[in-house]
């Protein structure tokens, strides 16, 4: 499974200060720690810096890529900021995120085409986030059809079912898991991705829910997770689930993680 | 999910000594600890005491039921010991276990009929443990048909897919999970059960594998687990998985477990 490290986000107070001060050491170190822990992509988000994203986001891209060799997940709702960031990004970036909302889809599409980026596509449209997994799958299907018609390959598309907290609806875990299963069953080659931590919002002992949800998502067929890779318990669960689901021949990755001391809980 | 506490088993050295010495305090306390931790059934097994089971097993039943109110899971391959234990058991016992092996099936069946016990039915026959989940399901189907023809209700039957360690075959986790899913999909009313810990035999950090496997089994539809309920991390994962899978309305059980300090990992 691909891991997108989520820590470089200005909704975190220290990160916001570091981006405001253009503190390259702080940001670079946060990128390095995530990659050392197992991140395949590093997410960069400075959405709280309203009006400054167009300058700050490309600075983040350059600063992170000066320190680590992985591609970035460029995370913004602002197409101008995305464009500025894609221009300075080396390699194939992932754009976080497109939706089936008319305006957003139209403004992001040319950027994906021009830069050959992968994209996270959220299961929501102008009517909002659909209630059921059937309806979310319909939005996913529409997104995939439209993105493919625009020239993207299935492998470039990461469908995000969107996670709503189970504290606000007992079925929201199942809705997300079923959407992942449907996409994997019916949309050949298309990937699935989600952020883990929103599921536990409003409940105590969120770590227990997040790690358990990771195992359940893997079982449903999740291909990529946006998460904190430095949270060792999540990485331990991830390696264990891959071994248990027959996706780790001879338990090689599990045993390698053990030797590296990465199976602590 | 039903929890069968597995700790009263003479394969554990201290338990063997306690049963040999008829140490009712030791056994009673072990039963109480498991029930306090959440066990719905207490398993009793003295299979290592070859030649003594017929006396020791009913002693265990009486000793445990003198201290706790839950029914027992009477665990032996010896039909005489099972019969002696069932005679002194109060309430509806679970017999652990029957198989599709001709001799074993014939000798256990009259005991189930006479005492109205539930039964764990292992997916193996005179040819051994089948390799694939399709073959294991065929054995399960045959067992259910034969048990129902003999008058048992579907609800009395707990199918155990049999867990082989993933260290001996990368697909053995998937085989078990698929067998559970097939039974739940196709055998209406029939329950599923399994022991958790065998999956991790031969690998390091077994706790990580066992807890992750519990989440995956719940996702596949497992109804009951034979496990150590005093291992708090397993109970935490269990409550979290039930909440995430929509089987815990308003997260009531999860929040109750939190208030009782039972979500530690």
């Amino acid at each position: 499974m691909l891991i997108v490290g989520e820590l470089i986000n200005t909704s975190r107070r220290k990160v916001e200060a570091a981006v405001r001060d253009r503190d390259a050491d702080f940001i670079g170190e946060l990128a390095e720690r995530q990659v050392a822990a197992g991140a395949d992509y590093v997410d960069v988000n400075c959405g709280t810096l309203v009006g400054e994203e167009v300058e700050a986001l490309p600075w983040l891209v350059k600063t992170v890529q000066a320190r680590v060799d992985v591609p970035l997940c460029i995370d913004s709702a602002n197409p101008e900021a995305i464009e500025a960031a894609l221009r300075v990004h080396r390699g194939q970036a992932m754009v976080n995120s497109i939706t089936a909302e008319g305006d957003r889809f139209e403004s992001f599409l040319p950027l994906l085409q021009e830069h050959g980026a992968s994209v996270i596509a959220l299961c929501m449209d102008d009517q909002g986030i659909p209630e059921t997994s059937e309806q979310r799958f319909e939005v996913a299907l529409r997104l995939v059809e439209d993105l493919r018609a625009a020239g993207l390959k299935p492998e470039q598309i990461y469908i995000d079912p969107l996670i709503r907290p189970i504290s606000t609806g007992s079925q929201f875990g199942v809705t997300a898991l079923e959407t992942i299963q449907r996409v994997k069953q019916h949309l050949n080659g298309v990937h699935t991705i989600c952020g883990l931590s929103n599921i536990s919002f409003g409940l105590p002992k969120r770590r227990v829910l997040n790690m358990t949800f990771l195992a359940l998502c893997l079982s449903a067929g999740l291909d990529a997770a946006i998460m904190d890779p430095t949270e060792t318990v999540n990485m331990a669960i991830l390696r264990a689930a891959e071994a248990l689901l027959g996706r780790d021949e001879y338990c090689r990755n599990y045993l390698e993680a053990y030797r590296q001391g990465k199976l602590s809980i």
Side-chain angles (χ1 to χ4, degrees), chain A:
Chain A
M1 197 179 71
L2 285 184
I3 296 155
V4 179
E6 70 183 2
L7 295 180
I8 302 181
N9 190 314
T10 55
S11 67
R12 303 174 70 225
R13 206 167 40 85
K14 284 185 181 176
V15 175
E16 188 176 67
V19 176
R20 275 199 198 287
D21 299 343
R22 300 292 192 264
D23 182 345
D25 272 353
F26 182 96
I27 297 296
E29 207 223 326
L30 199 48
E32 272 181 2
R33 273 178 48 217
Q34 294 184 84
V35 172
D40 301 291
Y41 282 79
V42 171
D43 192 271
V44 285
N45 180 318
C46 54
T48 62
L49 304 183
V50 181
E52 297 176 44
E53 266 194 285
V54 179
E55 290 77 40
L57 200 57
W59 176 80
L60 273 173
V61 170
K62 284 186 280 184
T63 303
V64 171
Q65 288 204 314
R67 290 281 281 266
V68 296
D69 274 336
V70 302
L72 305 198
C73 186
I74 298 174
D75 189 356
S76 172
N78 177 343
E80 278 175 73
I82 295 269
E83 182 167 25
L86 283 171
R87 262 202 217 113
V88 298
H89 184 277
R90 287 179 286 109
Q92 189 185 27
M94 190 184 288
V95 168
N96 187 5
S97 55
I98 204 166
T99 70
E101 295 163 300
D103 290 353
R104 184 145 167 182
F105 190 86
E106 294 305 326
S107 59
F108 274 55
L109 191 58
L111 305 175
L112 302 175
Q113 291 171 311
E114 184 183 339
H115 295 275
S118 298
V119 66
I120 298 176
L122 310 183
C123 291
M124 63 182 292
D125 60 15
D126 290 308
Q127 275 73 54
I129 302 176
E131 195 66 21
T132 69
S133 61
E134 288 85 353
Q135 293 163 332
R136 290 195 202 186
F137 177 73
E138 278 170 32
V139 176
L141 187 61
R142 223 157 65 221
L143 278 160
V144 169
E145 280 171 357
D146 291 348
L147 288 168
R148 294 210 57 190
L152 271 78
K153 295 181 190 134
E155 294 73 22
Q156 282 174 268
I157 306 167
Y158 288 78
I159 296 290
D160 184 332
L162 283 173
I163 307 295
R164 294 170 71 184
I166 54 169
S167 59
T168 63
S170 299
Q171 291 306 311
F172 285 152
V174 176
T175 304
L177 294 167
E178 283 181 356
T179 306
I180 293 167
Q181 282 169 333
R182 279 171 195 269
V183 170
K184 294 309 294 176
Q185 275 168 18
H186 300 293
L187 299 176
N188 208 10
V190 171
H191 298 297
T192 50
I193 192 167
C194 70
L196 292 179
S197 55
N198 206 36
I199 196 74
S200 59
F201 182 81
L203 289 168
K205 294 278 182 186
R206 295 185 63 177
R207 230 167 125 236
V208 179
L209 289 164
N210 295 351
M211 65 197 255
T212 306
F213 192 57
L214 174 58
L216 299 179
C217 283
L218 274 157
S219 164
L222 192 72
D223 298 299
I226 305 168
M227 59 188 258
D228 177 0
T230 69
E231 179 80 89
T232 52
V233 70
N234 284 344
M235 295 302 285
I237 292 271
L238 171 57
R239 293 296 165 231
E242 287 183 331
L244 292 163
L245 291 166
R247 297 176 201 158
D248 178 14
E249 210 171 2
Y250 304 113
C251 304
R252 270 198 204 108
N253 296 336
Y254 181 82
L255 290 168
E256 176 64 19
Y258 171 66
R259 279 188 290 267
Q260 295 178 355
K262 287 182 174 173
L263 295 182
S264 306
I265 57 166

